[in-house]
Amino acid sequence: MSIAVRWAKRRVLVAITITFALYYVLSSSYEKYQISTIIPHTKPEDVWEFVADFSRMKKLNPTILNFRVLADQGNFEHWTYTVEYEERLSHWPHTFNTAIGHYSVRKLPESDGGHYSVASTHRTCFLLGAFCLNSRGEFKISRIHNEDTYCEETVQYQCPFFFGSFCRREVEYQRQAIMDNLKQQFKQKGFGR
């Protein structure tokens, strides 16, 4: 076997090894996160309308920097919109990403639980769009104890294998901030009283 053939085999072997290593490092799986809170003395409709309006999301989620609505249609019963937004990461504040979110805002019929829903899917891209991850979530809002509002958010997010704890911390930070800021917003404004 000639030297050139041996070097060619080694290069192929190295290329295959690097490809598998990169795939292992960057391969993504979906994780699930759920959070809930009770907002006292509020109407679910008021909380739903506040959460559904993305212009208010900058008040709730401190990582969002800018946004623009790309599409908007529907009515009070079922409203859908698409938004593009830019955010910074809470634990790496000099790292930015852009995302496209598709929102579906509606009140579910009694046969489906009768709660208010803000469901969404997102495609979040890093490195000028070279690396993108997907997520989906639903924010459910319903009445509890006759005068309080129960909020529950479930998020399923894609994360590369080696960044699992970083992704989890980022999701936990954002979701907790949204719930805390939502409670604070309704406490300050006295909504629903």
Side-chain angles (χ1 to χ4, degrees):
M1 188 179 310
S2 73
I3 294 176
V5 171
R6 282 193 293 221
W7 277 106
K9 285 183 178 181
R10 283 185 185 164
R11 276 190 247 140
V12 169
L13 182 61
V14 168
I16 289 171
T17 303
I18 290 172
T19 301
F20 278 117
L22 283 174
Y23 175 77
Y24 182 73
V25 168
L26 298 177
S27 65
S28 300
S29 64
Y30 279 93
E31 301 293 328
K32 184 177 179 180
Y33 181 74
Q34 192 168 38
I35 188 171
S36 63
T37 193
I38 295 174
I39 303 175
H41 310 295
T42 57
K43 296 178 184 174
E45 303 88 36
D46 294 338
V47 176
W48 175 58
E49 288 177 15
F50 193 90
V51 171
D53 184 350
F54 199 87
S55 66
R56 293 178 172 161
M57 191 53 70
K58 276 182 82 169
K59 294 178 183 177
L60 299 178
N61 185 345
T63 65
I64 293 178
L65 303 171
N66 299 304
F67 75 94
R68 67 184 176 109
V69 176
L70 304 176
D72 183 8
Q73 67 180 11
N75 55 38
F76 187 75
E77 316 289 296
H78 187 196
W79 174 36
T80 61
Y81 64 93
T82 300
V83 65
E84 178 182 48
Y85 58 96
E86 180 184 22
E87 62 184 350
R88 64 174 171 74
L89 299 179
S90 64
H91 293 89
W92 288 352
H94 300 294
T95 304
F96 300 90
N97 65 69
T98 56
I100 302 285
H102 302 281
Y103 287 82
S104 175
V105 180
R106 63 192 181 121
K107 181 181 187 307
L108 297 173
E110 292 300 322
S111 61
D112 292 333
H115 63 269
Y116 296 88
S117 171
V118 179
S120 60
T121 60
H122 304 261
R123 183 158 179 85
T124 304
C125 296
F126 300 86
L127 304 172
L128 301 173
F131 182 68
C132 298
L133 299 168
N134 298 305
S135 63
R136 61 185 169 268
E138 185 175 17
F139 203 105
K140 296 179 183 177
I141 303 160
S142 58
R143 180 168 307 288
I144 188 171
H145 305 132
N146 291 329
E147 62 178 44
D148 300 335
T149 298
Y150 176 74
C151 300
E152 177 184 84
E153 185 177 25
T154 303
V155 178
Q156 289 184 305
Y157 59 95
Q158 191 177 20
C159 184
F161 177 74
F162 276 111
F163 294 103
S165 64
F166 173 76
C167 292
R168 178 81 178 185
R169 279 194 348 235
E170 189 66 28
V171 168
E172 286 175 351
Y173 172 81
Q174 286 187 21
R175 288 11 272 172
Q176 187 65 54
I178 288 170
M179 288 297 189
D180 292 345
N181 290 334
L182 186 61
K183 285 178 80 167
Q184 189 63 33
Q185 186 69 34
F186 277 83
K187 183 178 178 181
Q188 287 176 353
K189 299 285 184 182
F191 281 109
R193 289 185 184 178

